[in-house]
Amino acid sequence: MYCLNSDYTEGCHPLILEKLQATNMEQTTGYGLDPYCDEARELIKAACQRPDADVNLLVGGTQTNLTVICAALRPHQAVLGAVTSHVNTHEAGAIEQTGHKVIEIPTPEGKLTAAQIQAAWTKYATDPSREHWAQPKMVYISQPTETGSMYSKAELEEIYQCCQANNLYLYVDGARLAYALGAPSCDMTMADLAHNCDVFYIGGTKCGLLFGEAVVILTPALKEDFRTIAKQHGSILAKGRLLGIQFATIMKDNLYLELGRKATLQALKIHDALATHGFKFVAESPTNQQFVILTPAQYDKLSEEYVLSLDAYRSDGNYNVRICTCWATLDEQVEKLIAMIPQL
Amino acid sequence: MYCLNSDYTEGCHPLILEKLQATNMEQTTGYGLDPYCDEARELIKAACQRPDADVNLLVGGTQTNLTVICAALRPHQAVLGAVTSHVNTHEAGAIEQTGHKVIEIPTPEGKLTAAQIQAAWTKYATDPSREHWAQPKMVYISQPTETGSMYSKAELEEIYQCCQANNLYLYVDGARLAYALGAPSCDMTMADLAHNCDVFYIGGTKCGLLFGEAVVILTPALKEDFRTIAKQHGSILAKGRLLGIQFATIMKDNLYLELGRKATLQALKIHDALATHGFKFVAESPTNQQFVILTPAQYDKLSEEYVLSLDAYRSDGNYNVRICTCWATLDEQVEKLIAMIPQL
Amino acid sequence: MYCLNSDYTEGCHPLILEKLQATNMEQTTGYGLDPYCDEARELIKAACQRPDADVNLLVGGTQTNLTVICAALRPHQAVLGAVTSHVNTHEAGAIEQTGHKVIEIPTPEGKLTAAQIQAAWTKYATDPSREHWAQPKMVYISQPTETGSMYSKAELEEIYQCCQANNLYLYVDGARLAYALGAPSCDMTMADLAHNCDVFYIGGTKCGLLFGEAVVILTPALKEDFRTIAKQHGSILAKGRLLGIQFATIMKDNLYLELGRKATLQALKIHDALATHGFKFVAESPTNQQFVILTPAQYDKLSEEYVLSLDAYRSDGNYNVRICTCWATLDEQVEKLIAMIPQL
Amino acid sequence: MYCLNSDYTEGCHPLILEKLQATNMEQTTGYGLDPYCDEARELIKAACQRPDADVNLLVGGTQTNLTVICAALRPHQAVLGAVTSHVNTHEAGAIEQTGHKVIEIPTPEGKLTAAQIQAAWTKYATDPSREHWAQPKMVYISQPTETGSMYSKAELEEIYQCCQANNLYLYVDGARLAYALGAPSCDMTMADLAHNCDVFYIGGTKCGLLFGEAVVILTPALKEDFRTIAKQHGSILAKGRLLGIQFATIMKDNLYLELGRKATLQALKIHDALATHGFKFVAESPTNQQFVILTPAQYDKLSEEYVLSLDAYRSDGNYNVRICTCWATLDEQVEKLIAMIPQL
């Protein structure tokens, strides 16, 4: 059985483990104040072309989201996000636990638009009883989204302009950022992203690291005392160098983007093979996650060889199935899967 | 100008003020442990036919909702409510501030159904990744709802059976309970309500008191240490007897229901006059709030004599307008308004 | 039996009830936006000689403390207070429920000193691991304190200078402010207080109102969106005018101070009678609460006529007993108590 | 320069890295549901002689404390701990952020006694106004303590009996547990600990792992939905197997205890050398942390070769200095340090 159900099934890129091995008995200061974290921060700031950024290395995605949002908002402020956004779904109410409402916006393919954000803001700002409403203050988007879609550079710019015009922070969750930046159809760079939001994170856990997410804070108001608020949420790793070493490794020599590119190309290859044979998709995705509709028989057949993710039962009896490649996916397994498609 | 825009524009029923005057210089223990609170609690338990109930007298509605919900739930648990429910709208994120997600359910007329609750629970309970979701544990409904609609006894029973079958608490917000129980079309009593939920509150602020909401806790698990959790949220009034005196007065001689009945009949009279003259309604309401569609000219005309509540601008240029009667609304004003309708 | 155990045993000053009666059937806007609240706010700003102040009228003391502190602090920030401070004791962990640590400072008579505050700040600010500590950001003091003591104007000024020098907010809880400002030995005015802190509240519940506390916000940074944060904590009264009417009444014609003065003089008279007959005190108090040491027999004897507050059992078998006067205490009862003293 | 300032300066025991390398490209399920986590859980339950325990593997200490405490307590409940306890000091107010008060108890050497716990409980339980206090519900102790001291088996048993008698949970923070269990003077086993508390954790980060803390939940009431509450706090690692592999390695063949023993013996050797030469200690410690008093000159001299932890400046001008060994400390460095002592 081979897993194509998620992008956190393997350990990490071999170069990382090599480096962890090489540095294992070195002694360093804890809590992210070591030279490896310094190196990682410099590499990230360079990739972002934002020498003014504050970079903080945390362990996981939910942890990062709750820490960033809690640090940014006053008690009555809320975050706007798509219904399908990770903060509104698979985080067990983490944002609410820190005291803040997630205002959910329905969106067919997981992407917010500037128009939706403007409408949500205007609805609030023009309500005569707005003093009685949670105040939208931050917009949360994911690049790529939880459903595989991707913002273009123009869409991102438009969203950020809308946020700035309405005094809203824009926060971009990049848990799978490598798979967006590495996608053939992506028209933005990490630097573009870093110039079109207030804070974002570069996902490591799903993109070749053992674990780790690099929070890049661009707007000065969000920088103050971030480390202490992270500490308060249990988000500071004692042996912080583990994060520094991993990010320093992956950010060098374009490795982060290369891993993303490889996986996305594999996913698109699977997509094209499915499309060629007439399969329909839940939604079109230009990134490493493909969401295809299968009959139970087709699913069962594929499941003899592959672990896939059965996301939902359709009313017509068919299944929504996620097929997910990652930095570690083997080309031979992709080929083998593609070879099975005509016989489904 | 006469206000018909809300049900908290006047002070309180004169009997209450009389009693406050008569007892003003008496000395009593604080925090709800005085004889007047005892009396109020006994009257409420009798009206509910639930001698086993715990009754706690709090000051306001948002305060009551956040205290009850926070006391009932463990950290990861969430409350299910209509999109239009008060806890999801006009409480400035109060529930989230206590750490809990409000899972909103779209519903055309502000009423949840047992089927919707079952669907929401089943969606959660059958999700393979349910460990990563906020756990629905309490259902919040309002009787009458924020949009004037009302649950029948059969609907309430069905909802409560659904809740019990799925181990969910049912909490009924009765901020305007007098206007439901007093409605001619209402087929339930306070005792019916008290036998078909886990906890509810009898609204005072909008139903003839200066302020005050009586929380009736029926399910033993929700009783423990409720007073301390209320204290922790600033919800215990030092001179608790003010609440006791008010509720003891209003619960005697059927006064609470009579006030509700009077206001509801006034509202229905206005409704019928409007309907007779061809006006359309945003939604049908059998209670004290009527939601009518007016042209700007009609609204302006009425606004020369009445303060009404302009709830929303319609896409066709017309207005959604709320007309609200209450325990204090004067018959002569109702008649005068009705007389204006044909000329609009 | 006559109660001298607390200052919230009676209703309110008769003028207030008269005014509530006179205005009962008037219609006003809710949530503190009515003319009576406007009037109260103007009277308070005048008394404070701070036309720039924001005044918000809330219902109770714990509610006020948790709302002010939660509104002022970022997540990692803490409030410094005496071990005996109300926020550290009788609020059931209300401040912590909003997410903030109360850093307790031992102090023999309930008063913090500038030196203690400076020491606490310096300990934090010079700690090499201060990123791992909750950050002191607000100082909480009570005037008078929970143990009856009182800050002099010089002490307050010194504390505020210390706070300003260290970028700390100073918050003064004035739950019993009338009994400090009305004390013969008090050398400060309400205006002095309003020029020597960032935010304070004028206590109503214990000083002649049915309920109500007036939060006076002086520092601009603390004003923004305070009403929404109050709403979020259930601290906004729907019929806000009840607060406006009460504060407008008590702030006129020096009534607030007169009530405080009367009660304090009564308390000092009791104190002197006790002292004359050799009784010892737990602590010296120049305000309306007197803390005397009684033998069980003495306590039992007095308890035949008076409800007193038995605060603690002493290791020598005697009792710490609080005797408390208030705006409503009858002179004849004070005289009667004093007459009993020689026979104890 | 060689670091003896903390126990998280190096990476991890070589066997762990070897195992991470060997399993790196294996595919497993995430979130702790993989075979390595199963193996680790079984080994831990065996070591505890508690097959009924629930074992959860989290990443760090502060994260573990806030998750366990938040999961265990209702909103108004508080945790009792020593003034010097980690939850009261170096966690940036993490417990309060989850809504709970830490009731601090002064204690000279960082250890709570059953008598202190009983006194704190009795003070609460007998207070007539206890409804207005945060309710003590959990006792937090560390084994060994933050100041190096250690509970004997008899002390632990007495504390747990006291907790059980008063319906309090006992939670033991074992961040450095290896250094207690491995101490020559320790008279308890991991199984003893697991039979004398409600929940504890086996510290990995400071005891030979890259990171990781194993929470052992013994009392059924604390087990329900722990994983979801952990998820809500960002405490579930996506690639959970990293924790499983580490704990499975360290729990085998007595490795955890051996590493603790080695470091503790080194620390005691340093202690004895210092004592022999007349040095005084801040407190006596039988574990891997030694707290010695040095003159500035002595400190400077040692600091030419060693990184030590300057904990505090003493009023006599001398320093409190922590010397800390760990699983990775080299014998030759211990010897070299000891050789320097006579010349200080």
Side-chain angles (χ1 to χ4, degrees):
Chain A
M1 293 287 285
Y2 190 77
C3 294
L4 287 171
N5 59 323
S6 87
D7 30 24
Y8 41 90
T9 42
E10 285 89 355
C12 66
H13 192 276
L15 275 180
I16 287 172
L17 219 46
E18 210 172 275
K19 188 74 180 173
L20 288 176
Q21 185 82 58
T23 60
N24 189 48
M25 296 307 286
E26 283 182 22
Q27 293 184 313
T28 59
T29 303
Y31 306 114
L33 303 176
D34 62 278
Y36 297 107
C37 284
D38 288 343
E39 183 188 5
R41 282 190 283 262
E42 289 311 311
L43 285 164
I44 288 169
K45 289 196 273 187
C48 291
Q49 299 174 21
R50 289 291 302 252
D52 61 316
D54 261 18
V55 179
N56 289 274
L57 308 179
L58 308 188
V59 171
T62 295
Q63 179 185 84
T64 298
N65 286 337
L66 72 89
T67 302
V68 168
I69 291 171
C70 181
L73 301 185
R74 293 188 65 214
H76 62 304
Q77 296 178 331
V79 62
L80 288 170
V83 166
T84 49
S85 63
H86 204 259
V87 289
N88 194 45
T89 54
H90 289 90
E91 301 191 355
I95 306 309
E96 291 83 359
Q97 220 284 327
T98 72
H100 302 284
K101 190 174 188 69
V102 178
I103 301 175
E104 62 178 41
I105 300 181
T107 168
E109 56 170 349
K111 281 168 66 179
L112 288 183
T113 66
Q116 287 177 307
I117 295 165
Q118 184 61 55
W121 173 257
T122 301
K123 178 172 180 294
Y124 164 78
T126 61
D127 192 307
S129 65
R130 69 182 164 282
E131 282 191 331
H132 294 205
W133 288 81
Q135 181 184 80
K137 182 62 185 175
M138 180 175 255
V139 171
Y140 168 98
I141 62 173
S142 305
Q143 175 74 325
T145 70
E146 295 77 5
T147 55
S149 54
M150 192 166 69
Y151 293 91
S152 70
K153 188 178 165 189
E155 289 170 332
L156 178 69
E157 287 171 344
E158 201 186 353
I159 287 173
Y160 192 43
Q161 283 159 20
C162 171
C163 287
Q164 290 185 303
N166 296 302
N167 206 19
L168 300 166
Y169 295 125
L170 179 60
Y171 170 41
V172 183
D173 178 330
R176 292 188 170 95
L177 188 57
Y179 304 120
L181 297 182
S185 58
C186 183
D187 68 351
M188 77 171 68
T189 63
M190 195 176 285
D192 290 331
L193 177 54
H195 286 81
N196 283 288
C197 66
D198 295 292
V199 51
F200 75 102
Y201 81 83
I202 304 169
T205 302
K206 293 175 176 167
C207 304
L209 270 58
L210 291 172
F211 57 86
E213 325 294 330
V215 180
V216 183
I217 310 181
L218 303 155
T219 295
L222 300 181
K223 294 176 184 172
E224 194 177 352
D225 293 336
F226 183 85
R227 279 172 55 85
T228 297
I229 296 177
K231 175 64 191 174
Q232 188 185 34
H233 288 90
S235 306
I236 297 284
L237 190 66
K239 297 180 184 172
R241 78 192 200 185
L242 302 175
L243 291 160
I245 289 166
Q246 291 187 85
F247 271 105
T249 304
I250 204 99
M251 293 303 292
K252 262 180 225 149
D253 303 325
N254 237 19
L255 181 56
Y256 188 72
L257 296 185
E258 269 177 29
L259 294 181
R261 185 162 196 84
K262 181 205 79 77
T264 304
L265 290 174
Q266 289 174 324
L268 297 179
K269 205 163 178 184
I270 294 170
H271 170 275
D272 292 349
L274 286 164
T276 300
H277 289 86
F279 286 86
K280 301 294 176 204
F281 294 83
V282 183
E284 282 301 311
S285 159
T287 61
N288 75 312
Q289 301 184 88
Q290 297 298 321
F291 299 85
V292 68
I293 301 168
L294 299 180
T295 63
Q298 291 166 339
Y299 175 77
D300 290 347
K301 179 77 184 167
L302 278 176
S303 295
E304 289 169 14
E305 302 287 336
Y306 294 97
V307 180
L308 304 177
S309 176
L310 200 176
D311 276 11
Y313 300 95
R314 299 176 66 87
S315 53
D316 63 3
N318 292 327
Y319 296 169
N320 289 348
V321 175
R322 181 175 75 157
I323 302 175
C324 191
T325 61
C326 75
W327 60 275
T329 304
L330 298 173
D331 279 336
E332 67 213 56
Q333 292 289 352
V334 172
E335 297 306 329
K336 191 174 119 187
L337 175 76
I338 288 173
M340 288 176 73
I341 292 173
Q343 299 138 31
L344 289 178
Chain B
M1 294 289 284
Y2 190 78
C3 294
L4 288 170
N5 59 324
S6 87
D7 30 24
Y8 41 90
T9 44
E10 286 88 356
C12 65
H13 191 276
L15 277 179
I16 286 173
L17 219 46
E18 210 172 274
K19 188 73 181 171
L20 287 177
Q21 186 81 59
T23 59
N24 190 47
M25 296 308 286
E26 284 182 19
Q27 293 186 313
T28 58
T29 303
Y31 305 113
L33 304 176
D34 62 276
Y36 297 107
C37 284
D38 288 344
E39 184 188 4
R41 282 189 283 262
E42 289 311 311
L43 286 164
I44 288 168
K45 289 195 273 186
C48 291
Q49 299 174 21
R50 290 291 301 252
D52 61 317
D54 261 17
V55 179
N56 289 274
L57 308 179
L58 308 189
V59 171
T62 296
Q63 180 184 83
T64 298
N65 286 338
L66 73 88
T67 303
V68 169
I69 293 171
C70 182
L73 301 185
R74 294 189 65 215
H76 62 302
Q77 295 178 332
V79 62
L80 287 170
V83 166
T84 49
S85 64
H86 204 260
V87 290
N88 195 43
T89 55
H90 289 90
E91 300 192 356
I95 306 310
E96 291 84 358
Q97 221 285 327
T98 72
H100 302 285
K101 190 175 189 68
V102 179
I103 300 174
E104 61 178 42
I105 300 181
T107 167
E109 56 170 352
K111 282 168 66 178
L112 287 184
T113 64
Q116 287 177 309
I117 294 163
Q118 184 61 56
W121 172 257
T122 301
K123 178 172 180 292
Y124 165 77
T126 62
D127 192 305
S129 65
R130 70 183 165 279
E131 281 191 332
H132 293 206
W133 288 82
Q135 182 184 78
K137 182 63 185 174
M138 179 174 257
V139 172
Y140 168 99
I141 62 173
S142 305
Q143 174 75 320
T145 70
E146 295 76 6
T147 56
S149 54
M150 195 167 67
Y151 292 90
S152 70
K153 187 177 167 191
E155 288 170 334
L156 179 69
E157 287 171 345
E158 199 186 354
I159 287 173
Y160 192 43
Q161 282 158 20
C162 171
C163 286
Q164 291 185 304
N166 296 302
N167 206 20
L168 299 167
Y169 295 125
L170 179 60
Y171 170 42
V172 182
D173 178 330
R176 295 187 168 94
L177 187 59
Y179 305 120
L181 297 183
S185 57
C186 184
D187 67 352
M188 75 171 71
T189 63
M190 196 176 286
D192 290 332
L193 177 55
H195 285 81
N196 283 289
C197 67
D198 296 292
V199 51
F200 75 102
Y201 81 83
I202 304 170
T205 302
K206 293 175 174 168
C207 303
L209 270 58
L210 291 171
F211 57 86
E213 324 295 331
V215 180
V216 183
I217 310 180
L218 304 155
T219 294
L222 300 181
K223 294 176 184 173
E224 193 177 352
D225 293 335
F226 184 84
R227 280 174 54 83
T228 296
I229 295 177
K231 174 66 190 172
Q232 187 185 36
H233 287 90
S235 306
I236 297 285
L237 191 66
K239 297 180 184 173
R241 76 193 202 185
L242 303 175
L243 291 160
I245 289 166
Q246 294 187 83
F247 272 104
T249 304
I250 203 98
M251 292 303 293
K252 264 179 221 147
D253 304 325
N254 236 18
L255 182 55
Y256 187 72
L257 295 186
E258 270 177 29
L259 294 180
R261 184 160 197 86
K262 182 205 77 78
T264 303
L265 290 174
Q266 290 174 325
L268 296 179
K269 206 164 178 182
I270 294 171
H271 170 273
D272 291 349
L274 286 164
T276 300
H277 288 84
F279 285 85
K280 299 295 178 206
F281 293 83
V282 183
E284 283 302 312
S285 159
T287 62
N288 74 315
Q289 301 184 89
Q290 296 298 322
F291 299 85
V292 68
I293 300 168
L294 299 179
T295 64
Q298 291 166 339
Y299 174 77
D300 290 346
K301 180 76 183 164
L302 278 176
S303 295
E304 289 168 15
E305 302 287 335
Y306 294 96
V307 180
L308 303 177
S309 178
L310 200 174
D311 275 13
Y313 300 97
R314 299 176 66 85
S315 53
D316 63 4
N318 293 326
Y319 296 168
N320 289 348
V321 176
R322 182 176 73 157
I323 302 174
C324 191
T325 61
C326 75
W327 60 275
T329 303
L330 298 173
D331 278 337
E332 67 214 54
Q333 291 289 351
V334 171
E335 296 306 330
K336 192 174 118 187
L337 175 76
I338 288 173
M340 287 178 74
I341 291 173
Q343 299 138 30
L344 289 178
Chain C
M1 292 288 283
Y2 191 77
C3 294
L4 288 171
N5 59 323
S6 86
D7 30 25
Y8 41 90
T9 44
E10 285 88 356
C12 64
H13 191 274
L15 276 180
I16 286 172
L17 218 46
E18 209 173 276
K19 188 73 181 175
L20 288 177
Q21 186 82 58
T23 58
N24 189 46
M25 295 308 285
E26 285 182 22
Q27 293 185 313
T28 58
T29 303
Y31 305 114
L33 303 176
D34 63 276
Y36 297 108
C37 285
D38 288 343
E39 184 189 4
R41 282 189 284 261
E42 289 311 311
L43 285 164
I44 288 168
K45 289 196 274 186
C48 292
Q49 298 173 22
R50 289 292 300 252
D52 60 316
D54 262 18
V55 179
N56 289 274
L57 308 179
L58 308 188
V59 170
T62 295
Q63 180 184 85
T64 298
N65 286 338
L66 72 89
T67 303
V68 168
I69 292 170
C70 181
L73 301 186
R74 294 189 65 215
H76 62 305
Q77 295 178 332
V79 62
L80 288 171
V83 166
T84 49
S85 64
H86 205 260
V87 290
N88 196 44
T89 54
H90 289 91
E91 301 193 354
I95 306 309
E96 290 83 359
Q97 220 285 326
T98 73
H100 302 285
K101 189 175 190 69
V102 178
I103 301 174
E104 61 179 41
I105 300 181
T107 168
E109 57 170 350
K111 282 168 66 179
L112 287 185
T113 64
Q116 287 176 308
I117 295 164
Q118 185 61 56
W121 173 257
T122 301
K123 178 171 180 292
Y124 165 77
T126 61
D127 191 307
S129 66
R130 69 182 165 279
E131 282 192 331
H132 293 206
W133 287 82
Q135 182 184 80
K137 182 64 185 173
M138 180 174 255
V139 171
Y140 168 98
I141 61 173
S142 305
Q143 174 74 321
T145 69
E146 296 75 6
T147 54
S149 55
M150 193 167 66
Y151 292 90
S152 70
K153 188 177 167 192
E155 287 170 333
L156 179 69
E157 286 171 345
E158 199 186 354
I159 287 173
Y160 192 43
Q161 283 158 19
C162 171
C163 287
Q164 290 185 304
N166 295 302
N167 207 19
L168 300 167
Y169 295 126
L170 179 60
Y171 171 41
V172 182
D173 179 330
R176 295 188 168 96
L177 188 58
Y179 305 121
L181 297 182
S185 57
C186 184
D187 67 352
M188 77 170 71
T189 63
M190 197 177 284
D192 290 332
L193 177 54
H195 285 81
N196 282 289
C197 67
D198 296 292
V199 51
F200 75 102
Y201 82 84
I202 304 170
T205 301
K206 293 175 175 167
C207 304
L209 271 58
L210 290 171
F211 57 87
E213 325 294 331
V215 180
V216 183
I217 310 182
L218 304 155
T219 294
L222 300 181
K223 295 176 184 173
E224 194 177 353
D225 293 336
F226 184 85
R227 279 173 55 84
T228 297
I229 296 176
K231 175 67 189 170
Q232 187 184 36
H233 287 90
S235 306
I236 297 285
L237 190 66
K239 297 180 184 172
R241 75 189 200 188
L242 303 174
L243 291 161
I245 288 165
Q246 294 188 82
F247 271 105
T249 304
I250 204 98
M251 292 303 293
K252 265 181 222 145
D253 304 324
N254 237 19
L255 182 55
Y256 187 71
L257 295 186
E258 270 177 28
L259 295 180
R261 184 161 196 84
K262 183 203 77 77
T264 304
L265 290 174
Q266 290 173 326
L268 296 179
K269 207 164 176 180
I270 294 170
H271 170 274
D272 292 348
L274 286 164
T276 300
H277 289 85
F279 286 86
K280 301 295 177 204
F281 294 84
V282 182
E284 282 302 310
S285 159
T287 62
N288 75 313
Q289 301 185 88
Q290 296 298 323
F291 299 86
V292 67
I293 301 168
L294 299 179
T295 64
Q298 291 165 338
Y299 174 77
D300 290 345
K301 179 78 183 166
L302 279 176
S303 295
E304 288 168 15
E305 301 288 336
Y306 294 96
V307 180
L308 304 177
S309 179
L310 199 175
D311 276 12
Y313 300 96
R314 299 177 66 85
S315 53
D316 62 5
N318 293 327
Y319 296 169
N320 288 349
V321 175
R322 182 175 74 158
I323 302 176
C324 190
T325 62
C326 74
W327 60 275
T329 303
L330 299 172
D331 279 336
E332 67 214 53
Q333 291 289 352
V334 172
E335 296 307 329
K336 190 173 121 189
L337 176 77
I338 288 174
M340 288 177 74
I341 291 174
Q343 299 137 33
L344 290 179
Chain D
M1 293 288 283
Y2 190 77
C3 294
L4 289 170
N5 59 322
S6 87
D7 30 25
Y8 40 92
T9 43
E10 285 88 355
C12 65
H13 191 275
L15 275 179
I16 287 173
L17 218 46
E18 207 172 278
K19 189 74 180 174
L20 288 176
Q21 186 82 57
T23 59
N24 189 48
M25 296 308 286
E26 285 182 20
Q27 293 184 313
T28 58
T29 303
Y31 307 114
L33 304 175
D34 62 277
Y36 297 107
C37 284
D38 288 344
E39 184 189 2
R41 282 189 283 262
E42 290 311 312
L43 286 164
I44 288 169
K45 290 196 273 186
C48 292
Q49 299 174 21
R50 289 292 300 253
D52 60 318
D54 261 17
V55 179
N56 288 273
L57 307 179
L58 307 188
V59 171
T62 295
Q63 181 185 83
T64 298
N65 286 337
L66 72 89
T67 302
V68 168
I69 291 171
C70 182
L73 300 186
R74 293 188 65 214
H76 62 304
Q77 296 177 331
V79 62
L80 288 171
V83 167
T84 48
S85 65
H86 205 260
V87 289
N88 195 43
T89 55
H90 289 92
E91 301 192 355
I95 306 311
E96 291 84 0
Q97 221 284 327
T98 73
H100 302 285
K101 190 174 188 67
V102 178
I103 300 175
E104 61 179 40
I105 299 181
T107 169
E109 57 171 348
K111 282 168 67 179
L112 288 183
T113 65
Q116 286 177 309
I117 295 165
Q118 184 61 56
W121 173 256
T122 301
K123 178 172 181 295
Y124 165 78
T126 62
D127 191 305
S129 65
R130 68 181 165 282
E131 282 191 331
H132 294 206
W133 288 81
Q135 180 184 79
K137 182 63 185 175
M138 180 175 256
V139 172
Y140 168 98
I141 62 173
S142 305
Q143 174 75 322
T145 70
E146 295 77 4
T147 54
S149 55
M150 194 167 68
Y151 292 90
S152 71
K153 188 177 167 190
E155 288 170 332
L156 179 70
E157 286 171 345
E158 199 187 354
I159 287 174
Y160 193 42
Q161 282 159 18
C162 171
C163 287
Q164 289 185 304
N166 296 301
N167 206 19
L168 299 167
Y169 295 125
L170 179 60
Y171 170 40
V172 183
D173 179 330
R176 294 188 169 94
L177 187 57
Y179 305 121
L181 297 183
S185 58
C186 183
D187 67 352
M188 76 170 69
T189 64
M190 195 176 286
D192 290 330
L193 177 55
H195 285 81
N196 283 289
C197 67
D198 295 292
V199 50
F200 75 102
Y201 80 85
I202 304 169
T205 302
K206 293 175 175 167
C207 305
L209 270 60
L210 290 171
F211 57 86
E213 325 294 330
V215 180
V216 183
I217 310 181
L218 304 155
T219 295
L222 301 181
K223 294 176 184 173
E224 194 176 354
D225 292 337
F226 184 85
R227 279 173 56 83
T228 297
I229 295 177
K231 175 66 190 172
Q232 186 184 36
H233 287 89
S235 307
I236 297 284
L237 191 67
K239 297 179 184 172
R241 78 191 199 185
L242 302 175
L243 291 159
I245 289 166
Q246 292 186 84
F247 272 104
T249 304
I250 204 97
M251 292 303 292
K252 263 180 223 148
D253 303 326
N254 236 19
L255 181 56
Y256 187 71
L257 296 187
E258 270 177 27
L259 294 180
R261 185 162 196 83
K262 180 204 79 77
T264 303
L265 290 174
Q266 289 173 325
L268 297 179
K269 205 163 177 183
I270 294 171
H271 170 275
D272 292 348
L274 286 164
T276 301
H277 289 85
F279 286 85
K280 301 293 176 205
F281 293 84
V282 183
E284 282 301 311
S285 159
T287 62
N288 74 312
Q289 301 184 87
Q290 296 298 323
F291 299 86
V292 68
I293 300 169
L294 298 181
T295 64
Q298 290 166 338
Y299 175 76
D300 291 347
K301 180 77 183 168
L302 278 176
S303 294
E304 288 169 17
E305 302 287 336
Y306 293 96
V307 181
L308 304 178
S309 179
L310 199 174
D311 275 13
Y313 300 95
R314 299 177 66 86
S315 52
D316 62 3
N318 292 329
Y319 297 169
N320 289 348
V321 175
R322 181 175 72 158
I323 302 175
C324 191
T325 61
C326 76
W327 61 275
T329 303
L330 299 173
D331 279 336
E332 66 213 54
Q333 291 289 352
V334 172
E335 296 306 329
K336 191 175 119 188
L337 175 76
I338 288 173
M340 286 177 74
I341 292 174
Q343 299 138 30
L344 289 179

